[in-house]
Amino acid sequence: MQIQPFTINIAQADVDDLQERLAHPRWPAPSPGAGWSRGVPLDYLQGLAEYWRTKYDWRQQEARLNEYPQFTTEIDGQNIHFLHVRSSEANALPLVLLHSWPGSFVEFTNMIGPLTDPCAHGGAATDAFHVIVPSIPGFGFSTPVQETGWTTGRTARAFAELMSRLGYTRYGVHGGDIGSGVAGGMNSSDPGRVVGVHVTSDPPTAVSFIMFSGDPAATPGLSEAEKARVEQMKQWSTDGGGYLQIQSTRPQTLAYALTDSPVGQLAWIAEKFKEWTDTAAELPEQAVDRDQLLTNISLYWFTRTGASAALKAFCSSVNLGSTGNGIEASITACLRFQNSGSVAR
């Protein structure tokens, strides 16, 4: 199938509409003394929404995104959008970067320069990669979703086909959260070309998945301190799991709020950047640049994918290693970041 160049060009009427909606929000009463424990604080969201309306420049960010070569192609009946930035280094390894919810291809843009041109960033030519960043079906410009059934396994096969169309015979894959499920599926479905897989997730999510096979706190060999840490992460999973229940059971109902109210979309995503990034950061923009955060949220808003992305992310089957073809992923290393809050063993 043909690969077409793609340029982001949001209609000015849509930009104006966003400004108009942000200028006339209906604010709820605050939860007295709750801070972030009951959701996004009113005063914080009011300030962020006002910044979005008066200081954030979508056209500037749109131009920045269009500096990266973008394309679309149809695979298995679905439109697939992707960035494809080749390194000037002849021996660069192709690398697929896979986002998740509530992210998008935007979150990888600051990495593209160091990955494709490591010599300009203090690295060596042998560190170079050709970078491919596809948008998962239901996210961003990989829309509209034409039919149900876009599981992580099906998405993995589509992205393996994308790599074939690009002419790559060997490549690496990175994925986070739902992207990690797609990455694992690519490893299993395309073992002859995938040379390595790197995945990330947050500790509460990891504990949630592990709970399906038993209580992780009962794992032999854990110290008392580690068991206490697991219990704490289990509590985090319970306290922060409301969004998951809504998105996985009533995504269409949620869609009306996220598609009609930019303040609602802003709160829905900003809360997760507060909870899921740097635990030492008091505010989302202390962990992620404010304009980058708003570019990501703007992408959800302009493409009306708040609900389709939520449905894709949490109604898909996740495959971290095997597709039943007899080929298993082999975990060779694990890295724990300072503020991840995980148990180190």
Side-chain angles (χ1 to χ4, degrees):
M1 299 293 292
Q2 191 173 7
I3 293 176
Q4 301 276 4
F6 179 83
T7 300
I8 303 172
N9 184 21
I10 300 301
Q12 187 59 44
D14 290 339
V15 177
D16 294 341
D17 176 69
L18 171 61
Q19 295 293 314
E20 179 66 20
R21 290 170 186 263
L22 287 172
H24 301 95
R26 296 182 63 199
W27 296 107
S31 297
W36 286 84
S37 65
R38 301 297 296 272
V40 184
L42 177 62
D43 58 349
Y44 171 78
L45 196 66
Q46 287 176 326
L48 187 59
E50 183 65 8
Y51 179 90
W52 195 9
R53 184 180 74 88
T54 61
K55 296 182 179 180
Y56 173 80
D57 187 340
W58 165 256
R59 291 302 183 198
Q60 181 183 63
Q61 297 300 320
E62 183 182 67
R64 185 181 69 85
L65 294 177
N66 282 330
E67 292 175 359
Y68 302 103
Q70 299 176 57
F71 306 88
T72 60
T73 189
E74 182 180 311
I75 301 176
D76 195 11
Q78 176 61 44
N79 179 65
I80 300 294
H81 163 264
F82 63 98
L83 274 63
H84 183 201
V85 185
R86 287 186 58 85
S87 172
S88 61
E89 300 295 339
N91 295 320
L93 177 70
L95 177 64
V96 181
L97 302 177
L98 301 172
H99 65 84
S100 185
W101 184 90
S104 67
F105 72 90
V106 171
E107 65 193 44
F108 294 118
T109 53
N110 291 338
M111 302 169 58
I112 292 176
L115 288 172
T116 57
D117 188 10
C119 294
H121 296 82
T126 53
D127 299 327
F129 295 92
H130 303 307
V131 175
I132 302 92
V133 189
S135 296
I136 293 173
F139 289 78
F141 300 107
S142 286
T143 51
V145 177
Q146 300 293 346
E147 60 185 17
T148 60
W150 276 96
T151 63
T152 53
R154 184 177 178 183
T155 303
R157 293 188 292 275
F159 290 168
E161 170 61 21
L162 173 63
M163 297 304 284
S164 293
R165 293 185 186 182
L166 294 176
Y168 292 126
T169 58
R170 60 192 303 271
Y171 59 91
V173 188
H174 161 81
D177 198 44
I178 297 299
S180 69
V182 178
M186 293 181 73
N187 174 71
S188 298
S189 62
D190 199 15
R193 294 190 298 157
V194 175
V195 298
V197 175
H198 176 265
V199 297
T200 61
S201 189
D202 61 288
T205 297
V207 168
S208 296
F209 280 106
I210 294 171
M211 286 292 290
F212 286 111
S213 59
D215 186 352
T219 301
L222 291 184
S223 68
E224 291 303 315
E226 289 169 335
K227 290 179 181 179
R229 196 66 173 151
V230 170
E231 291 296 339
Q232 183 181 34
M233 288 189 287
K234 287 165 59 179
Q235 188 61 44
W236 288 345
S237 298
T238 300
D239 291 344
Y243 80 97
L244 175 59
Q245 293 299 319
I246 294 172
Q247 292 189 170
S248 61
T249 61
R250 297 295 185 272
Q252 186 60 42
T253 301
L254 176 64
Y256 303 115
L258 299 185
T259 305
D260 189 63
S261 170
V263 169
Q265 181 69 86
L266 179 66
W268 197 249
I269 290 181
E271 179 190 85
K272 297 311 169 192
F273 274 80
K274 166 66 169 66
E275 294 181 345
W276 292 350
T277 52
D278 188 347
T279 58
E282 294 184 4
L283 298 173
E285 59 265 35
Q286 293 174 351
V288 177
D289 177 78
R290 180 184 288 185
D291 280 359
Q292 181 173 330
L293 171 65
L294 289 174
T295 298
N296 183 66
I297 295 172
S298 296
L299 183 64
Y300 277 83
W301 174 258
F302 288 130
T303 59
R304 306 186 184 193
T305 52
S308 64
L311 176 63
K312 162 62 188 174
F314 298 104
C315 292
S316 298
S317 61
V318 177
N319 181 352
L320 294 178
S322 175
T323 56
N325 60 2
I327 300 172
E328 299 288 337
S330 177
I331 299 175
T332 58
C334 179
L335 178 65
R336 172 183 180 269
F337 292 95
Q338 180 178 357
N339 294 319
S340 68
S342 59
V343 174
R345 291 298 287 174

